[in-house]
Amino acid sequence: EGGGGAVSVKNVSVGTIVEFDWKVGVAFLSNHCKNLKVPFVRVLLKVADANGDVRVHTFEMSLAEFKEFSRKFQDISAAF
């Protein structure tokens, strides 16, 4: 008998953003690259887990990547 069993779906939480900060920067000097002066965005996220423990995440992205990142956050916010 081919069984089409029920699929269990669980809610998954990745935490709550408690702080979001960003800064635009431009790199002028590097040992690895001659063609710099390209702007970037440095993002700092503080995320609290279910226990209230806060972890800090930092990362850098190009302006184009940041615009897409920001658009996705706006889409998510509009859904709630």
Side-chain angles (χ1 to χ4, degrees), residues 1-52:
E1 186 175 314
V7 175
S8 175
V9 177
K10 296 181 180 181
N11 289 333
V12 176
S13 175
V14 293
T16 302
I17 297 172
V18 294
E19 185 175 335
F20 177 87
D21 192 20
W22 59 274
K23 296 178 183 179
V24 176
V26 178
F28 287 101
L29 184 62
S30 172
N31 293 334
H32 305 289
C33 184
K34 293 180 182 181
N35 188 13
L36 291 174
K37 300 181 186 173
V38 176
F40 63 89
V41 179
R42 178 172 289 134
V43 176
L44 176 136
L45 285 176
K46 290 186 180 180
V47 181
D49 66 16
N51 296 323

